Coordinates of all heavy atoms in Angstrom, one line a residue:
M1 N -23.9 10.1 10.1 CA -23.4 9.2 9.1 C -24.1 7.9 9.2 O -24.4 7.4 10.3 CB -21.9 9.0 9.3 CG -21.0 10.2 8.8 SD -19.3 9.7 8.7 CE -18.6 11.1 9.6
N2 N -24.3 7.2 8.1 CA -24.8 5.9 8.1 C -23.8 4.9 7.5 O -22.7 5.3 7.2 CB -26.2 5.9 7.3 CG -26.0 6.4 5.9 OD1 -25.0 6.2 5.2 ND2 -27.0 7.0 5.4
N3 N -24.2 3.7 7.3 CA -23.2 2.7 6.9 C -22.7 2.9 5.5 O -21.6 2.4 5.2 CB -23.9 1.3 6.9 CG -24.0 0.7 8.4 OD1 -23.3 1.3 9.3 ND2 -24.8 -0.3 8.6
S4 N -23.4 3.6 4.6 CA -22.9 3.9 3.3 C -21.8 4.9 3.3 O -21.2 5.2 2.3 CB -24.1 4.3 2.4 OG -24.6 5.5 2.8
D5 N -21.6 5.6 4.4 CA -20.5 6.6 4.5 C -19.2 5.9 4.9 O -18.2 6.7 5.1 CB -20.9 7.6 5.6 CG -22.1 8.4 5.2 OD1 -22.4 8.5 3.9 OD2 -22.8 9.0 6.0
F6 N -19.1 4.6 5.0 CA -17.9 3.9 5.4 C -17.6 2.8 4.4 O -18.4 2.3 3.7 CB -18.0 3.3 6.8 CG -18.3 4.3 7.9 CD1 -19.5 4.6 8.3 CD2 -17.2 4.9 8.5 CE1 -19.7 5.6 9.3 CE2 -17.4 5.9 9.5 CZ -18.7 6.2 9.9
Y7 N -16.3 2.5 4.3 CA -15.9 1.4 3.5 C -14.8 0.6 4.2 O -14.1 1.2 5.1 CB -15.4 1.8 2.1 CG -14.2 2.7 2.1 CD1 -12.9 2.2 1.9 CD2 -14.3 4.1 2.3 CE1 -11.8 3.0 2.0 CE2 -13.2 4.9 2.3 CZ -11.9 4.4 2.1 OH -10.8 5.2 2.2
T8 N -14.6 -0.6 3.9 CA -13.6 -1.5 4.5 C -12.4 -1.6 3.6 O -12.6 -1.8 2.4 CB -14.1 -2.9 4.8 OG1 -15.3 -2.8 5.5 CG2 -13.1 -3.7 5.5
C9 N -11.2 -1.4 4.1 CA -10.0 -1.5 3.2 C -9.0 -2.3 3.9 O -9.0 -2.5 5.2 CB -9.5 -0.1 2.9 SG -8.7 0.8 4.2
K10 N -8.1 -2.9 3.1 CA -7.0 -3.6 3.6 C -5.7 -2.9 3.2 O -5.6 -2.4 2.1 CB -7.0 -5.0 3.0 CG -5.8 -5.9 3.6 CD -5.9 -7.3 3.0 CE -6.9 -8.1 3.6 NZ -6.8 -8.6 4.9
T11 N -4.8 -2.8 4.2 CA -3.5 -2.1 3.9 C -2.4 -3.1 4.1 O -2.4 -3.8 5.1 CB -3.3 -0.9 4.9 OG1 -4.4 0.0 4.7 CG2 -2.0 -0.2 4.7
V12 N -1.5 -3.2 3.2 CA -0.4 -4.1 3.2 C 0.9 -3.3 3.3 O 1.1 -2.4 2.6 CB -0.3 -5.0 1.9 CG1 0.8 -6.0 2.0 CG2 -1.7 -5.7 1.6
N13 N 1.7 -3.7 4.3 CA 2.9 -3.0 4.6 C 4.1 -3.8 3.9 O 4.3 -4.9 4.2 CB 3.2 -2.8 6.1 CG 4.5 -2.0 6.3 OD1 5.5 -2.6 6.7 ND2 4.5 -0.7 6.1
L14 N 4.8 -3.1 3.0 CA 6.0 -3.7 2.3 C 7.2 -2.9 2.8 O 7.2 -1.7 2.9 CB 5.8 -3.5 0.8 CG 4.5 -4.0 0.2 CD1 4.5 -3.6 -1.3 CD2 4.4 -5.5 0.3
Q15 N 8.3 -3.6 3.0 CA 9.6 -3.0 3.3 C 10.7 -3.6 2.5 O 10.7 -4.8 2.1 CB 9.9 -3.1 4.8 CG 9.0 -2.2 5.7 CD 9.5 -2.1 7.1 OE1 10.5 -2.7 7.5 NE2 8.8 -1.4 7.9
K16 N 11.7 -2.7 2.3 CA 12.8 -3.2 1.5 C 14.1 -2.3 1.8 O 14.0 -1.1 2.0 CB 12.5 -3.0 0.0 CG 13.5 -3.2 -1.0 CD 13.0 -3.0 -2.4 CE 14.0 -3.3 -3.5 NZ 13.5 -3.1 -4.8
F17 N 15.2 -3.0 1.9 CA 16.5 -2.3 1.9 C 16.9 -1.9 0.5 O 16.9 -2.7 -0.4 CB 17.6 -3.1 2.6 CG 17.4 -3.2 4.1 CD1 16.8 -4.4 4.7 CD2 17.7 -2.2 5.0 CE1 16.6 -4.5 6.0 CE2 17.5 -2.3 6.3 CZ 17.0 -3.4 6.9
L18 N 17.3 -0.6 0.4 CA 17.7 -0.2 -1.0 C 19.3 -0.1 -1.1 O 20.0 -0.1 -0.1 CB 17.2 1.2 -1.2 CG 15.7 1.4 -1.1 CD1 15.2 2.8 -1.3 CD2 15.0 0.5 -2.1
D19 N 19.7 -0.1 -2.3 CA 21.2 0.0 -2.6 C 21.7 1.5 -2.6 O 22.9 1.7 -2.5 CB 21.5 -0.6 -3.9 CG 21.2 -2.1 -3.9 OD1 21.3 -2.7 -2.8 OD2 20.9 -2.6 -5.0
S20 N 20.7 2.4 -2.6 CA 21.1 3.8 -2.6 C 20.2 4.6 -1.8 O 19.1 4.2 -1.5 CB 21.1 4.4 -4.1 OG 19.8 4.5 -4.5
P21 N 20.6 5.8 -1.4 CA 19.7 6.7 -0.6 C 18.6 7.3 -1.3 O 17.9 8.2 -0.8 CB 20.6 7.7 0.1 CG 21.7 7.8 -0.9 CD 21.9 6.4 -1.5
D22 N 18.3 7.0 -2.6 CA 17.3 7.6 -3.4 C 16.2 6.5 -3.6 O 16.4 5.5 -4.2 CB 17.9 8.0 -4.8 CG 16.8 8.6 -5.7 OD1 15.8 9.2 -5.1 OD2 17.0 8.6 -6.9
C23 N 15.0 6.9 -3.1 CA 13.9 5.9 -3.2 C 12.8 6.3 -4.2 O 11.8 5.7 -4.3 CB 13.3 5.8 -1.8 SG 12.4 7.2 -1.2
D24 N 13.1 7.3 -5.0 CA 12.0 7.8 -5.9 C 11.5 6.8 -6.9 O 10.3 6.7 -7.2 CB 12.6 9.0 -6.7 CG 12.8 10.2 -5.8 OD1 12.2 10.3 -4.7 OD2 13.6 11.1 -6.2
F25 N 12.4 6.0 -7.5 CA 12.0 5.0 -8.5 C 11.1 3.9 -7.8 O 10.1 3.5 -8.4 CB 13.3 4.3 -9.0 CG 12.9 3.2 -10.0 CD1 12.5 3.5 -11.3 CD2 13.0 1.8 -9.6 CE1 12.1 2.4 -12.2 CE2 12.7 0.8 -10.5 CZ 12.2 1.1 -11.8
E26 N 11.5 3.5 -6.6 CA 10.7 2.5 -5.9 C 9.3 3.0 -5.5 O 8.3 2.3 -5.7 CB 11.4 2.0 -4.6 CG 12.7 1.4 -4.8 CD 12.7 0.1 -5.5 OE1 11.6 -0.6 -5.4 OE2 13.7 -0.3 -6.1
V27 N 9.2 4.3 -5.1 CA 8.0 4.9 -4.7 C 7.1 5.0 -6.0 O 5.9 4.7 -5.9 CB 8.2 6.2 -4.0 CG1 6.9 7.0 -3.8 CG2 8.9 6.0 -2.7
E28 N 7.7 5.5 -7.1 CA 6.9 5.7 -8.3 C 6.4 4.3 -8.8 O 5.3 4.3 -9.4 CB 7.7 6.4 -9.4 CG 7.9 7.9 -9.0 CD 6.6 8.6 -8.8 OE1 5.7 8.5 -9.6 OE2 6.6 9.4 -7.8
A29 N 7.2 3.3 -8.7 CA 6.7 2.0 -9.1 C 5.5 1.5 -8.3 O 4.6 0.9 -8.9 CB 7.9 0.9 -9.0
A30 N 5.6 1.7 -7.0 CA 4.5 1.3 -6.2 C 3.2 2.1 -6.4 O 2.1 1.6 -6.5 CB 4.9 1.4 -4.7
K31 N 3.4 3.4 -6.7 CA 2.3 4.3 -7.0 C 1.7 3.9 -8.3 O 0.4 4.0 -8.5 CB 2.7 5.7 -6.9 CG 2.8 6.2 -5.5 CD 3.2 7.7 -5.4 CE 3.3 8.1 -4.0 NZ 3.5 9.6 -3.9
G32 N 2.5 3.6 -9.3 CA 2.0 3.1 -10.6 C 1.2 1.9 -10.5 O 0.2 1.7 -11.2
L33 N 1.7 0.9 -9.8 CA 0.9 -0.3 -9.5 C -0.4 0.0 -8.9 O -1.4 -0.5 -9.4 CB 1.7 -1.3 -8.7 CG 0.9 -2.5 -8.2 CD1 1.0 -3.6 -9.3 CD2 1.4 -3.0 -6.9
A34 N -0.4 0.8 -7.9 CA -1.6 1.1 -7.2 C -2.6 1.8 -8.1 O -3.8 1.4 -8.1 CB -1.3 2.0 -6.0
K35 N -2.1 2.7 -8.9 CA -3.0 3.5 -9.8 C -3.6 2.5 -10.8 O -4.8 2.7 -11.2 CB -2.2 4.6 -10.4 CG -3.1 5.6 -11.1 CD -2.2 6.7 -11.6 CE -3.1 7.9 -12.1 NZ -2.3 9.0 -12.6
A36 N -2.8 1.6 -11.3 CA -3.3 0.7 -12.4 C -4.4 -0.2 -11.9 O -5.3 -0.7 -12.7 CB -2.1 -0.2 -12.9
F37 N -4.5 -0.5 -10.6 CA -5.5 -1.4 -10.1 C -6.4 -0.8 -9.1 O -7.0 -1.4 -8.3 CB -4.8 -2.6 -9.4 CG -4.1 -3.5 -10.3 CD1 -2.7 -3.4 -10.6 CD2 -4.8 -4.5 -11.0 CE1 -2.1 -4.2 -11.5 CE2 -4.2 -5.4 -11.9 CZ -2.8 -5.2 -12.2
S38 N -6.6 0.6 -9.2 CA -7.5 1.3 -8.3 C -7.2 1.1 -6.9 O -8.2 1.0 -6.0 CB -9.0 0.9 -8.7 OG -9.3 1.2 -10.0
M39 N -6.0 1.1 -6.5 CA -5.5 1.1 -5.1 C -4.8 2.4 -4.9 O -4.8 3.3 -5.7 CB -4.6 -0.1 -4.9 CG -5.2 -1.5 -5.3 SD -4.1 -2.8 -4.9 CE -2.9 -2.8 -6.3
W40 N -4.3 2.5 -3.7 CA -3.5 3.7 -3.4 C -2.3 3.3 -2.6 O -2.3 2.3 -1.8 CB -4.3 4.8 -2.7 CG -4.9 4.5 -1.4 CD1 -4.4 4.7 -0.2 CD2 -6.2 3.8 -1.2 NE1 -5.3 4.2 0.8 CE2 -6.4 3.7 0.2 CE3 -7.1 3.3 -2.1 CZ2 -7.5 3.1 0.7 CZ3 -8.3 2.7 -1.5 CH2 -8.4 2.6 -0.2
A41 N -1.1 4.0 -2.8 CA 0.1 3.7 -2.1 C 0.7 5.0 -1.5 O 0.5 6.1 -2.0 CB 1.1 3.2 -3.2
E42 N 1.3 4.8 -0.4 CA 1.9 5.9 0.4 C 3.2 5.4 1.1 O 3.3 4.2 1.5 CB 0.9 6.5 1.3 CG 0.4 5.5 2.4 CD -0.8 6.0 3.2 OE1 -1.3 7.1 2.9 OE2 -1.2 5.3 4.1
V43 N 4.1 6.3 1.2 CA 5.4 5.9 1.9 C 5.1 6.0 3.4 O 4.6 7.0 3.9 CB 6.5 6.9 1.5 CG1 7.7 6.6 2.4 CG2 6.8 6.8 0.0
S44 N 5.3 4.9 4.1 CA 5.1 4.9 5.5 C 6.3 5.6 6.2 O 6.1 6.4 7.0 CB 5.0 3.4 6.0 OG 4.9 3.4 7.4
F45 N 7.5 5.2 5.7 CA 8.7 5.9 6.2 C 9.9 5.5 5.3 O 9.9 4.5 4.6 CB 9.1 5.7 7.6 CG 9.5 4.3 7.9 CD1 10.9 3.9 7.8 CD2 8.7 3.3 8.4 CE1 11.3 2.6 8.1 CE2 9.1 2.0 8.7 CZ 10.4 1.7 8.5
F46 N 10.9 6.4 5.3 CA 12.2 6.0 4.6 C 13.3 6.5 5.5 O 13.4 7.7 5.8 CB 12.2 6.7 3.2 CG 13.5 6.5 2.5 CD1 13.9 5.2 2.2 CD2 14.4 7.5 2.1 CE1 15.1 4.9 1.5 CE2 15.6 7.2 1.5 CZ 15.9 5.9 1.2
D47 N 14.1 5.6 5.9 CA 15.3 5.8 6.7 C 16.5 5.9 5.8 O 17.0 4.9 5.3 CB 15.5 4.7 7.8 CG 16.6 5.1 8.8 OD1 17.5 5.8 8.4 OD2 16.4 4.6 9.9
K48 N 17.0 7.1 5.6 CA 18.2 7.3 4.7 C 19.4 6.7 5.2 O 20.3 6.3 4.4 CB 18.4 8.8 4.4 CG 17.4 9.4 3.5 CD 17.8 10.8 3.1 CE 16.7 11.3 2.1 NZ 17.1 12.6 1.6
D49 N 19.6 6.7 6.5 CA 20.8 6.0 7.1 C 20.8 4.5 6.9 O 21.8 4.0 6.5 CB 20.9 6.3 8.6 CG 21.1 7.8 8.9 OD1 21.7 8.5 8.0 OD2 20.6 8.3 10.0
L50 N 19.7 3.9 7.1 CA 19.6 2.4 6.9 C 19.2 2.1 5.5 O 19.3 0.9 5.1 CB 18.6 1.8 7.8 CG 18.8 1.9 9.3 CD1 17.6 1.3 10.1 CD2 20.1 1.0 9.6
M51 N 18.8 3.1 4.7 CA 18.3 2.9 3.4 C 17.1 1.9 3.4 O 17.1 1.0 2.5 CB 19.4 2.5 2.4 CG 20.4 3.7 2.2 SD 21.6 3.4 0.9 CE 22.6 2.2 1.7
L52 N 16.2 2.1 4.4 CA 15.1 1.2 4.5 C 13.8 1.9 4.1 O 13.5 3.0 4.7 CB 15.0 0.7 6.0 CG 13.8 -0.1 6.3 CD1 13.8 -1.5 5.6 CD2 13.7 -0.4 7.8
L53 N 13.1 1.4 3.1 CA 11.9 2.0 2.6 C 10.7 1.1 3.1 O 10.7 -0.1 3.0 CB 11.9 2.0 1.1 CG 10.7 2.5 0.4 CD1 10.3 3.9 0.7 CD2 10.8 2.3 -1.1
S54 N 9.7 1.8 3.6 CA 8.4 1.1 4.0 C 7.3 1.8 3.2 O 7.1 3.0 3.3 CB 8.2 1.3 5.5 OG 7.0 0.7 5.9
I55 N 6.5 1.0 2.5 CA 5.4 1.5 1.7 C 4.1 0.8 2.1 O 4.1 -0.5 2.3 CB 5.6 1.2 0.2 CG1 6.8 2.1 -0.3 CG2 4.4 1.5 -0.6 CD1 7.2 1.8 -1.7
N56 N 3.0 1.5 2.2 CA 1.7 0.9 2.4 C 0.9 1.0 1.1 O 0.8 2.0 0.5 CB 1.0 1.7 3.5 CG 1.6 1.5 4.9 OD1 2.1 0.4 5.2 ND2 1.4 2.4 5.8
I57 N 0.4 -0.2 0.7 CA -0.5 -0.2 -0.4 C -1.9 -0.7 0.1 O -2.0 -1.7 0.8 CB 0.0 -1.2 -1.5 CG1 1.3 -0.7 -2.0 CG2 -1.0 -1.3 -2.6 CD1 1.9 -1.7 -3.0
S58 N -2.9 0.1 -0.2 CA -4.3 -0.1 0.3 C -5.3 -0.3 -0.8 O -5.1 0.3 -1.9 CB -4.7 1.0 1.2 OG -3.8 1.3 2.3
Y59 N -6.3 -1.0 -0.5 CA -7.4 -1.2 -1.5 C -8.7 -1.5 -0.7 O -8.7 -1.9 0.4 CB -7.1 -2.4 -2.5 CG -6.9 -3.7 -1.8 CD1 -8.0 -4.6 -1.7 CD2 -5.7 -4.1 -1.3 CE1 -7.9 -5.8 -1.1 CE2 -5.5 -5.4 -0.7 CZ -6.6 -6.2 -0.6 OH -6.5 -7.4 0.0
V60 N -9.8 -1.2 -1.4 CA -11.1 -1.5 -0.8 C -11.3 -3.0 -0.8 O -11.2 -3.7 -1.8 CB -12.2 -0.8 -1.7 CG1 -13.6 -1.2 -1.1 CG2 -12.0 0.7 -1.7
S61 N -11.5 -3.5 0.4 CA -11.5 -5.0 0.6 C -12.9 -5.6 0.5 O -13.1 -6.8 0.6 CB -10.8 -5.4 1.9 OG -11.5 -4.8 3.0
D62 N -14.0 -4.8 0.5 CA -15.3 -5.4 0.4 C -15.9 -5.4 -1.0 O -17.1 -5.1 -1.2 CB -16.2 -4.7 1.4 CG -16.3 -3.2 1.2 OD1 -15.6 -2.7 0.4 OD2 -17.1 -2.5 2.0
M63 N -15.0 -5.6 -2.0 CA -15.5 -5.7 -3.3 C -15.1 -7.1 -3.9 O -14.3 -7.8 -3.3 CB -15.0 -4.6 -4.2 CG -13.5 -4.5 -4.4 SD -13.1 -3.1 -5.3 CE -11.6 -3.6 -6.1
V64 N -15.6 -7.5 -5.0 CA -15.5 -8.8 -5.5 C -14.1 -9.2 -5.9 O -13.7 -10.4 -5.8 CB -16.5 -9.1 -6.7 CG1 -16.1 -8.4 -7.9 CG2 -16.7 -10.5 -6.9
F65 N -13.3 -8.3 -6.3 CA -11.9 -8.6 -6.8 C -10.9 -8.4 -5.7 O -9.7 -8.5 -6.0 CB -11.6 -7.7 -8.0 CG -12.4 -7.9 -9.2 CD1 -13.2 -7.0 -9.7 CD2 -12.4 -9.2 -9.8 CE1 -14.0 -7.2 -10.8 CE2 -13.1 -9.4 -10.9 CZ -14.0 -8.4 -11.4
S66 N -11.2 -8.2 -4.5 CA -10.2 -8.0 -3.4 C -9.2 -9.1 -3.2 O -8.0 -8.8 -3.0 CB -10.9 -7.6 -2.1 OG -11.7 -8.6 -1.6
P67 N -9.6 -10.4 -3.3 CA -8.6 -11.4 -3.2 C -7.5 -11.4 -4.3 O -6.4 -11.6 -4.2 CB -9.3 -12.7 -3.3 CG -10.7 -12.4 -2.8 CD -10.9 -11.0 -3.3
D68 N -8.0 -11.0 -5.5 CA -7.1 -10.8 -6.7 C -6.1 -9.7 -6.5 O -5.0 -9.7 -6.8 CB -7.9 -10.7 -8.0 CG -8.8 -11.9 -8.3 OD1 -8.3 -13.0 -7.9 OD2 -9.8 -11.7 -8.8
L69 N -6.6 -8.6 -5.9 CA -5.8 -7.4 -5.6 C -4.7 -7.8 -4.6 O -3.5 -7.3 -4.7 CB -6.6 -6.2 -5.1 CG -7.6 -5.7 -6.1 CD1 -8.4 -4.5 -5.5 CD2 -6.8 -5.1 -7.3
L70 N -5.0 -8.6 -3.6 CA -4.0 -9.0 -2.7 C -2.9 -9.9 -3.4 O -1.7 -9.7 -3.1 CB -4.6 -9.8 -1.5 CG -3.7 -10.3 -0.4 CD1 -2.9 -9.1 0.2 CD2 -4.4 -11.0 0.7
D71 N -3.3 -10.7 -4.3 CA -2.4 -11.5 -5.1 C -1.5 -10.6 -6.0 O -0.3 -10.9 -6.2 CB -3.1 -12.5 -6.0 CG -3.7 -13.6 -5.2 OD1 -3.3 -13.9 -4.1 OD2 -4.6 -14.3 -5.7
V72 N -2.0 -9.5 -6.5 CA -1.3 -8.6 -7.3 C -0.2 -7.9 -6.4 O 1.0 -7.8 -6.8 CB -2.2 -7.5 -7.9 CG1 -1.4 -6.3 -8.4 CG2 -3.0 -8.1 -9.0
I73 N -0.5 -7.5 -5.2 CA 0.4 -6.9 -4.3 C 1.5 -7.9 -3.9 O 2.7 -7.6 -3.9 CB -0.3 -6.4 -3.0 CG1 -1.2 -5.2 -3.4 CG2 0.8 -5.9 -2.0 CD1 -2.1 -4.8 -2.3
K74 N 1.1 -9.2 -3.6 CA 2.1 -10.2 -3.3 C 3.1 -10.5 -4.5 O 4.3 -10.6 -4.2 CB 1.4 -11.5 -2.9 CG 0.7 -11.5 -1.6 CD 0.0 -12.8 -1.3 CE -0.8 -12.8 0.0 NZ -1.5 -14.1 0.2
S75 N 2.5 -10.5 -5.7 CA 3.4 -10.6 -6.8 C 4.4 -9.5 -7.0 O 5.5 -9.7 -7.3 CB 2.6 -10.8 -8.1 OG 1.8 -12.0 -8.0
F76 N 3.9 -8.3 -6.8 CA 4.7 -7.1 -6.9 C 5.8 -7.1 -5.9 O 7.0 -6.8 -6.2 CB 3.8 -5.8 -6.7 CG 4.6 -4.5 -6.6 CD1 5.1 -3.9 -7.7 CD2 4.9 -4.0 -5.3 CE1 5.8 -2.7 -7.6 CE2 5.6 -2.8 -5.3 CZ 6.1 -2.2 -6.4
A77 N 5.5 -7.6 -4.6 CA 6.5 -7.7 -3.6 C 7.5 -8.7 -3.9 O 8.7 -8.5 -3.7 CB 5.8 -8.0 -2.3
L78 N 7.1 -9.8 -4.5 CA 8.0 -10.9 -4.8 C 9.0 -10.5 -5.9 O 10.2 -10.6 -5.8 CB 7.3 -12.1 -5.3 CG 8.1 -13.3 -5.7 CD1 8.9 -13.9 -4.5 CD2 7.2 -14.4 -6.2
V79 N 8.5 -9.9 -7.0 CA 9.3 -9.5 -8.1 C 10.2 -8.3 -7.8 O 11.4 -8.3 -8.2 CB 8.4 -9.0 -9.3 CG1 9.1 -8.3 -10.4 CG2 7.6 -10.2 -9.9
N80 N 9.8 -7.4 -6.9 CA 10.6 -6.3 -6.5 C 11.4 -6.5 -5.2 O 12.0 -5.5 -4.7 CB 9.8 -5.0 -6.5 CG 9.3 -4.6 -7.8 OD1 10.0 -4.1 -8.6 ND2 8.0 -4.9 -8.1
R81 N 11.4 -7.7 -4.7 CA 12.2 -8.0 -3.5 C 11.8 -7.3 -2.2 O 12.6 -6.9 -1.5 CB 13.7 -7.9 -3.8 CG 14.1 -8.9 -4.9 CD 15.6 -8.8 -5.0 NE 16.0 -9.8 -6.0 CZ 16.9 -9.6 -7.0 NH1 17.4 -8.4 -7.1 NH2 17.2 -10.5 -7.8
Y82 N 10.5 -7.1 -2.1 CA 10.0 -6.5 -0.8 C 9.7 -7.6 0.1 O 9.4 -8.8 -0.3 CB 8.7 -5.7 -1.1 CG 8.9 -4.3 -1.6 CD1 8.8 -4.1 -3.0 CD2 9.1 -3.2 -0.8 CE1 9.0 -2.8 -3.5 CE2 9.3 -2.0 -1.3 CZ 9.2 -1.8 -2.7 OH 9.4 -0.5 -3.2
V83 N 9.6 -7.3 1.4 CA 9.2 -8.2 2.4 C 7.8 -7.7 2.9 O 7.7 -6.5 3.2 CB 10.1 -8.2 3.6 CG1 9.6 -9.1 4.8 CG2 11.5 -8.7 3.2
I84 N 6.8 -8.5 2.9 CA 5.5 -8.1 3.4 C 5.5 -8.3 5.0 O 5.7 -9.4 5.5 CB 4.4 -9.0 2.8 CG1 4.3 -8.7 1.3 CG2 3.0 -8.6 3.5 CD1 3.3 -9.6 0.6
L85 N 5.4 -7.2 5.7 CA 5.5 -7.2 7.1 C 4.1 -7.4 7.8 O 4.1 -7.8 9.0 CB 6.1 -6.0 7.7 CG 7.6 -5.9 7.4 CD1 8.2 -4.7 8.1 CD2 8.3 -7.1 7.9
G86 N 3.1 -7.1 7.1 CA 1.8 -7.3 7.7 C 0.6 -6.7 6.9 O 0.8 -6.0 6.0
Y87 N -0.6 -7.1 7.4 CA -1.8 -6.6 6.8 C -2.6 -5.9 7.9 O -2.6 -6.3 9.1 CB -2.6 -7.8 6.3 CG -1.9 -8.7 5.3 CD1 -1.2 -9.8 5.8 CD2 -2.0 -8.5 4.0 CE1 -0.5 -10.6 4.9 CE2 -1.3 -9.3 3.1 CZ -0.6 -10.4 3.6 OH 0.1 -11.2 2.7
K88 N -3.4 -5.0 7.5 CA -4.3 -4.3 8.5 C -5.6 -4.0 7.8 O -5.7 -3.5 6.7 CB -3.6 -3.0 9.0 CG -4.4 -2.2 10.0 CD -3.6 -1.1 10.6 CE -3.4 0.0 9.5 NZ -2.8 1.2 10.1
D89 N -6.7 -4.5 8.5 CA -8.0 -4.2 8.0 C -8.6 -3.0 8.7 O -8.4 -2.8 9.9 CB -9.0 -5.4 8.2 CG -8.6 -6.6 7.4 OD1 -8.4 -6.4 6.2 OD2 -8.6 -7.7 7.9
E90 N -9.1 -2.0 8.0 CA -9.6 -0.8 8.6 C -11.0 -0.5 8.0 O -11.4 -0.9 6.9 CB -8.7 0.4 8.2 CG -7.3 0.3 8.7 CD -6.5 1.5 8.2 OE1 -6.2 1.5 7.0 OE2 -6.2 2.4 9.0
V91 N -11.8 0.2 8.8 CA -13.0 0.8 8.3 C -12.8 2.3 8.3 O -12.5 3.0 9.3 CB -14.2 0.5 9.2 CG1 -15.5 1.2 8.8 CG2 -14.4 -1.0 9.3
R92 N -12.9 2.9 7.0 CA -12.6 4.3 6.9 C -13.9 5.1 6.4 O -14.8 4.5 5.8 CB -11.5 4.5 5.8 CG -10.2 4.0 6.2 CD -9.2 4.4 5.2 NE -7.9 3.9 5.5 CZ -6.8 4.1 4.8 NH1 -6.9 4.7 3.6 NH2 -5.6 3.6 5.2
S93 N -13.9 6.3 6.7 CA -15.0 7.2 6.3 C -14.7 7.6 4.8 O -13.6 7.9 4.5 CB -15.1 8.4 7.2 OG -16.0 9.4 6.7
V94 N -15.8 7.7 4.0 CA -15.6 8.3 2.7 C -15.2 9.8 2.7 O -14.7 10.3 1.8 CB -16.8 8.0 1.8 CG1 -17.1 6.6 1.6 CG2 -18.0 8.7 2.4
Y95 N -15.5 10.4 3.9 CA -15.2 11.8 4.0 C -13.8 12.1 4.6 O -13.5 13.2 4.9 CB -16.3 12.5 4.9 CG -17.6 12.2 4.3 CD1 -18.5 11.4 5.0 CD2 -18.1 12.8 3.1 CE1 -19.8 11.2 4.6 CE2 -19.3 12.5 2.7 CZ -20.2 11.7 3.4 OH -21.4 11.5 2.9
E96 N -13.1 11.0 4.9 CA -11.8 11.2 5.6 C -10.8 12.1 4.9 O -10.1 12.9 5.5 CB -11.2 9.8 5.7 CG -9.9 9.7 6.6 CD -9.5 8.3 6.8 OE1 -10.1 7.6 7.7 OE2 -8.7 7.8 6.1
A97 N -10.8 12.0 3.6 CA -9.8 12.9 2.8 C -10.2 14.3 2.8 O -9.4 15.2 2.7 CB -9.8 12.4 1.3
E98 N -11.5 14.6 3.1 CA -11.9 16.0 3.1 C -11.6 16.7 4.4 O -11.6 17.9 4.5 CB -13.4 16.1 2.9 CG -13.8 15.5 1.5 CD -15.3 15.5 1.4 OE1 -16.1 16.0 2.3 OE2 -15.8 15.0 0.4
E99 N -11.4 16.0 5.5 CA -11.1 16.6 6.8 C -9.8 17.2 6.9 O -8.9 17.0 6.3 CB -11.3 15.5 7.9 CG -12.7 14.9 7.9 CD -12.8 13.8 8.9 OE1 -12.0 13.7 9.8 OE2 -13.8 13.1 8.8

């Protein structure tokens, strides 16, 4: 593999306590946001007892609009009452999904 086989991405972890043990609406909202801005979202975990939802939203961070994408995620978190627990920068292989 060479350098063109890798990309840099930033993952933002959002968490929120829910009012009900059903998180489908929240997950679909995060996935819809991600899809609209060429990002991806995945559920990190959901604790039904605590009704605590954790979602990771990731995007390619070595492109020109990456600061704007972070602002989009921050706005989404603010409007939907999520707490941003952290950011993680990663270098991923373009072939990672195929493995």
